[in-house]
């Protein structure tokens, strides 16, 4: 494709994307895709084309084949999972990144890629109120960041065991701790790192779903008594089910005393620390060894942009570095080589989208939007609480409301079926998208607010939809 | 940013990117960035802007601040590392991906994301001549793919030890094998997986830098005799230094007999298998357990797009899966949930750029370009061989030529200084970019061809530049 052909196709796609976002704003697309498993596979050819096709044919298929298979994450009535808001400002940064087509293997391989990442992650660190001892690097996802944290912990506890026998030596088994509400990526990371499920402890939580510090202390004591070696604890700022905030200061005190690595999973909750009024939620965070915050969730930087902040970057580099001859350059001693800050050797120029988002929007506008979402969540929670048999199941700390409709007489598995039925009815209707989840052994519905287009009116319309769907489901029960 | 503001900025950026590619084609930018460490950091503000800025200001900074800090990977005289060709066709796919802003946590979270990935990786598998038993998934990089392969191997050998003690149990230590020429990501993957450097074997190579099968067999025998447990072998199709092709059929026979996982690192060389005349290089590949091929290298799909092909996808899912309540959907039993095929939970819609590249260009045009690059590499090698004291140091299997200028009387470290001096002189001049590397303990220069814009004339111009630079360096010695 020549630059001129790209001009023609690129301009058409800019219009296509703008039109798409306008359609979302008008709300005239079903939120959840209505295709059935295999529909797209069946409609696509079984082999790649031998000859190139006109761009118009591809654009037609985008509308006819791809769009029906999209669940619209940027739809104003998308309330599923956690928001992954992808602002158009960040899209511009991503276009430049791919347009330049550079790969950050080393500083020399594109100095601006490294230095803009250094500067923008410093900006973010300061905006979140973290001390300057932390340095940042952009990873793809919090799953990778948490894995890197646990490997770093493993290597600190074993005094760089990787350089010798790895985990295949004689030392006592390492143990990792996180609450029962921690994200599934914590256990996955521990298993990838070779820790083994027998050495991952799910620590009970208090009534507000925060890690119980006495339970943590007692698990550590028990493991020490059994000859095991406590290694790391993961505190969550914003759990997936309810956005609970683990008590970091108390956990940090335990970590310091017991010489555990403290990793703070602020993938969701970290962005809230842009708001001074939320800072109390992570009091003590300055004692963490590592923190992950995902600007690709609530801060509207298009996926993927997960920022890993680390206290001791020299330790990280020692754990992660490889230095084959073909990657050495004359300036290595003076620069940051981010390949030694993560798993991947090649790296996209992701800082551009973080930079463009912050510059185009400005921090104050981002803060205002976060406050809008918190207010909308609180209003919904107040309405739920005021409307029995609806019930909020957890405090609304950020922008997620956990609800259940509990008609008298419906209990246990019958109640579960009712919950899943009305949630699925909403999702299948295309009018909104919610994620159900289990809390205390029973299903509930999560309403997770945070897409750029979502205003109070959309949340209010959801509330009406929820009431209608629950009444219909209760009638069907 | 509203859709209308995006239209204005997006159209401007399409022009900016097209202009940038035209400047590259004209060759009027230095290939290697000329900035010094810290230059960009010093020129950027130390805090993020509180208020949004006009797009024109950002665009100005893109030209004034970012562009000087770019080493131009898409420049026709970029011969460094391996090519990471980023076609404008693939950029269109990336724009749509970010414009849609969907995240593939589950099939339901965007069916088209999953099914297009399934279809396009099937297309690629067939194009490479692999049997239908293999299924594909797109990872960010080969580093991640190789890590996933070694974890899969670890879990097969330990019969899912992760579900118990991980590597912290009583079993005999696992051992991983790869040649001395294997990529640094292999050792890194083994260390991340907890294997330990003491259990990673660097197997000697033959005179053409291919893994020596007798040496592999003898290392395995020695390890078994020492009570260790051989677990996996990585064969490389296209080593980083010289693009050597390990003898896969012979390695596969050993792997089968010894019950080792066979992972084929075809990050670079895999793309060559689009050419029937190259297929003999990976005879026996159908016996591999896993293969990685990077369309983001020579196939011109913009970074990142690394395809991991796996024989037993059920095993992979069992190793990688997590199934928290908030990720369960009613159709899980009927669909592929790619989160269980890798590290990350969230996933970009990467298949779009692979799809658009194949459709816009057509496979035949891609094959023609690969053949052009192979021919250019062979021509350069013939010229080098015909021009003493220049010397080719390895067979030209694909598109990389390994050369040294060896003036009479220059030996040992003096020769190394000469090599590094003339390579650095070229890189610093901005006229071309090469990567030096060590082979058999001495530095050499790698000329790695494969950027879309690189024609025979660019390689010929490089050859002249090399001769001039070497003469100047020899004079300075």
């Amino acid at each position: 494709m020549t630059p001129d052909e790209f001009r023609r196709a690129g301009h058409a796609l800019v219009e296509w994307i703008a039109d798409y976002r306008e359609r979302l704003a008008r709300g005239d697309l079903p939120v959840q895709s209505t295709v059935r498993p295999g529909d797209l596979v069946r409609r696509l050819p079984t082999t790649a084309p031998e000859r190139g096709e006109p761009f118009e044919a591809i654009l037609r298929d985008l509308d006819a084949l791809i769009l029906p298979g999209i669940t619209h994450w940027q739809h104003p009535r998308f309330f599923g999972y956690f928001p992954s808001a992808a602002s158009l400002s960040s899209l511009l940064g991503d276009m430049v990144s791919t347009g330049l087509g550079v790969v950050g293997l080393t500083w020399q391989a594109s100095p601006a890629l490294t230095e803009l990442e250094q500067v923008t992650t410093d900006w973010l660190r300061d905006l979140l109120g973290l001390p300057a001892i932390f340095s940042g690097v952009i990873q793809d996802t919090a799953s990778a960041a948490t894995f890197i944290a646990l490997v770093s912990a493993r290597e600190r506890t074993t005094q760089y065991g990787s350089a010798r026998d790895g985990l295949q030596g004689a030392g006592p088994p390492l143990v990792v701790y996180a609450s029962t509400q921690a994200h599934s990526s914590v256990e996955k990371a521990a298993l990838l790192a070779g820790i083994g499920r027998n050495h991952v402890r799910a620590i009970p939580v208090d009534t507000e779903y925060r890690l119980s510090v006495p339970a943590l202390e007692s698990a550590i004591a028990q493991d020490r008594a059994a000859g095991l070696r406590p290694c790391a604890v993961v505190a969550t700022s914003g759990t997936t089910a309810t956005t609970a905030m683990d008590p970091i200061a108390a956990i940090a005190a335990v970590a310091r005393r017991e010489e555990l690595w403290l990793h703070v999973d602020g993938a969701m909750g970290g962005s809230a620390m842009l708001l001074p009024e939320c800072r109390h939620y992570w009091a003590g965070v300055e004692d963490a060894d590592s923190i992950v915050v995902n600007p690709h969730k609530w801060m509207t930087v298009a996926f993927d942009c997960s920022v890993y902040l680390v206290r001791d970057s020299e330790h990280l580099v020692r754990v992660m570095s490889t230095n084959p001859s073909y990657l050495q350059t004359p300036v290595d001693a003076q620069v940051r080589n981010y390949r030694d800050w993560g798993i991947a050797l090649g790296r996209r120029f992701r800082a551009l989208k973080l930079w463009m988002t912050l510059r185009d929007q400005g921090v104050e506008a981002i803060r205002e939007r976060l406050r809008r979402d918190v207010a909308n969540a609180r209003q919904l929670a107040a309405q739920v609480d005021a409307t029995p048999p609806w019930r909020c199941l957890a405090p609304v700390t950020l922008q997620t409301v956990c609800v259940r409709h509990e008609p008298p007489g419906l209990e246990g598995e019958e109640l579960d079926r009712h919950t899943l039925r009305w949630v699925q009815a909403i999702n299948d209707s295309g009018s909104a998208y919610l994620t159900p989840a289990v809390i205390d052994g029973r299903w509930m519905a999560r309403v997770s607010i945070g897409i750029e287009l979502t205003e109070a009116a959309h949340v209010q319309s959801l509330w009406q939809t929820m009431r209608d769907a629950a009444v219909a489901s209760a009638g069907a029960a």
Side-chain angles (χ1 to χ4, degrees), chain A residues 121-122 125 129-137 139 145 148-149 152-153 156 160 248-249 251-253 255-256 260-264 282-292 307-319 336 341:
Chain A
T121 56
D122 278 359
R125 173 199 65 205
L130 293 168
I133 183 100
F134 287 97
S135 333
V137 55
Q139 312 285 355
I148 291 161
S152 298
R156 191 172 75 179
Y160 304 101
I248 299 182
I251 296 171
R256 213 167 28 237
L260 302 190
W261 183 282
L262 171 57
H263 175 61
V264 173
W282 69 357
V285 72
E286 62 279 2
D287 286 329
D289 292 291
S290 56
I291 305 165
V292 61
V307 174
Y308 182 66
L309 294 147
V310 65
R311 167 183 299 279
D312 183 352
S313 62
E314 278 180 37
H315 170 74
L316 175 61
V317 168
R318 183 163 166 193
V319 170
R336 211 175 260 196
W341 293 53

Side-chain angles (χ1 to χ4, degrees), chain A residues 146-147 150-151 154 167 175-177 184-197 199-200:
Chain A
T146 296
F147 172 68
L150 293 189
V151 169
R154 184 188 81 189
L167 282 177
V175 185
V176 170
Y177 305 83
S184 56
S185 58
V186 177
E187 186 186 51
K188 183 165 178 171
L191 301 194
L192 290 173
I195 301 287
R197 192 166 282 142
H199 308 115
V200 182

Side-chain angles (χ1 to χ4, degrees), chain A residues 95-123:
Chain A
M95 275 174 68
V96 174
S97 171
T98 313
L100 290 171
V102 296
V103 183
L105 299 182
T106 64
W107 177 89
Q108 192 190 72
S110 266
L113 184 155
T114 297
E115 298 200 4
L116 193 68
E117 186 161 335
Q118 189 172 333
V119 169
T120 51
T121 56
D122 278 359
W123 286 0

Side-chain angles (χ1 to χ4, degrees), chain A residues 19-85:
Chain A
D19 290 349
Y20 170 66
R21 295 295 181 112
E22 284 171 346
R23 287 178 74 184
L24 291 182
R26 286 197 305 270
D28 65 355
L29 287 164
V31 190
Q32 182 185 262
S33 168
T34 57
V35 301
R36 303 297 311 154
D39 277 358
L40 180 60
V41 171
R42 278 186 293 273
R43 297 184 66 187
L44 289 170
T46 55
T47 55
E50 277 295 308
R51 290 179 197 293
E53 301 173 45
F55 177 71
E56 286 64 30
I58 302 174
L59 201 56
R60 263 197 310 275
D61 284 351
L62 213 49
D63 281 311
L65 301 177
I66 303 299
L67 212 52
I70 295 296
T71 295
H72 304 287
W73 283 64
Q74 308 308 317
H75 195 293
R77 288 195 308 272
F78 182 93
F79 301 102
Y81 308 107
F82 277 141
S84 183

